[in-house]
Amino acid sequence: MESVRAVLIDIDGVLTVSWRPLPGAVEALREIREAGLAVLLVTNTTSRTRASIAGTLADAGFPVSAEDILTAPAATAAYLAEHCPGARCALLNSGDIAEDLDGVTVVDAAASGAADSGTVPEVVLVGGAGPEFDYTALDRAFGHLQRGARLVAMHRNLYWRTAEGLRMDSGAFLAGLEQAARVEAEITGKPARAFFEAALARLGARAGETVMVGDDVESDVLAAQRAGITGILVRTGKFQPEALRAADGTPDHVIDSFADLPALLRGSAQQ
């Protein structure tokens, strides 16, 4: 830990809940920046663009800009450009993320039947859950998969924390699509190793000199550790003791909140 040069930080549940700052989070991020550490916010949030997220965080006092954020939609656009350039995509997502899906061809899934080969989706692209995930939309996606479309998902999150409590996310629906269509989704956001590698490349940092701070023990922390990054779990956001006990591994560190991170880094450096 004394060689830490870069910090990857999840947003929802770590810095904010329902976009309101958690106690001490603004001050902690300022202290980390003042220490000269490279910072990148890495999020599976699929309801807002990088610019919108940066604006909301900056208004709350966080010292960030759009360039400091890597979203699952932005990573997805890069993935599709590399693995299936120009593919027609049926997007199932709650929120407007078109700006971060630069170069992705999104077709009208409702109008794309089996007859017109020019509009039939080649990829079913799953983002974050919301009212759009009704039976009609899921059954339509199932039909596209039966006709040979690839299933690409921005994440596997089962739930997230809001001010009103936990809310179901698209991972639950994704599992159903995989089982029904007998396909396996290609994941582009956390916990995909490629997502963390893209984050390291953005910062020009090595895994061994980077820490990842998150509230999801599997998708944030253990996934980062599998990529060689030090994992730090916070007891805020979606953190649940039973999820930690049932996890496939053990976080390198567990702290009460992001506000405790500067002290952890200072203490490790002194040791």
Side-chain angles (χ1 to χ4, degrees):
M1 288 282 285
E2 64 271 12
S3 62
V4 172
R5 298 289 179 269
V7 183
L8 306 179
I9 308 166
D10 184 32
I11 299 174
D12 191 22
V14 177
L15 298 180
T16 66
V17 168
S18 293
W19 299 107
R20 291 194 289 271
L22 286 167
V26 171
E27 295 77 10
L29 185 56
R30 289 190 180 278
E31 184 172 345
I32 289 167
R33 281 206 178 279
E34 290 167 0
L37 298 177
V39 170
L40 186 67
L41 308 188
V42 290
T43 177
N44 277 347
T45 296
T46 55
S47 60
R48 297 189 180 201
T49 64
R50 294 164 62 231
S52 173
I53 293 170
T56 298
L57 294 178
D59 288 345
F62 289 102
V64 299
S65 67
E67 295 303 312
D68 299 318
I69 300 172
L70 176 62
T71 65
T76 299
Y79 179 89
L80 293 173
E82 179 180 356
H83 294 277
C84 39
R88 298 181 299 275
C89 300
L91 176 63
L92 181 56
N93 180 69
S94 184
D96 183 8
I97 53 173
E99 183 180 320
D100 279 358
L101 289 176
D102 184 43
V104 176
T105 302
V106 177
V107 298
D108 183 356
S112 55
D116 186 354
S117 60
T119 61
V120 172
E122 299 163 288
V123 174
V124 171
L125 184 56
V126 179
E132 296 82 358
F133 282 63
D134 58 15
Y135 175 81
T136 300
L138 290 166
D139 187 54
R140 185 181 299 122
F142 174 57
H144 296 323
L145 295 173
Q146 287 183 299
R147 289 188 287 272
R150 297 168 67 166
L151 180 58
V152 176
M154 298 182 196
H155 59 72
R156 284 192 178 277
N157 292 3
L158 294 172
Y159 49 84
W160 80 97
R161 172 76 63 181
T162 71
E164 290 75 38
L166 295 177
R167 292 290 184 88
M168 182 178 287
D169 210 340
S170 55
F173 301 101
L174 181 64
L177 285 173
E178 289 179 312
Q179 289 290 318
R182 294 185 173 87
V183 298
E184 184 175 351
E186 303 164 50
I187 309 300
T188 56
K190 297 176 291 182
R193 186 184 186 99
F195 184 86
F196 292 101
E197 291 173 346
L200 293 174
R202 176 80 69 88
L203 292 178
R206 296 189 300 271
E209 61 185 15
T210 304
V211 299
M212 169 69 206
V213 188
D215 65 331
D216 188 315
V217 63
E218 295 286 353
S219 293
D220 291 338
V221 179
L222 298 183
Q225 290 177 194
R226 287 191 289 271
I229 299 167
T230 297
I232 302 174
L233 179 67
V234 294
R235 296 188 183 95
T236 56
K238 66 169 66 172
F239 170 82
Q240 293 182 305
E242 55 269 31
L244 177 58
R245 289 193 293 269
D248 291 333
T250 303
D252 292 313
H253 300 273
V254 181
I255 58 179
D256 286 336
S257 73
F258 185 77
D260 298 319
L261 182 63
L264 173 65
L265 297 178
R266 286 196 305 271
S268 297
Q270 289 168 1
Q271 291 173 13

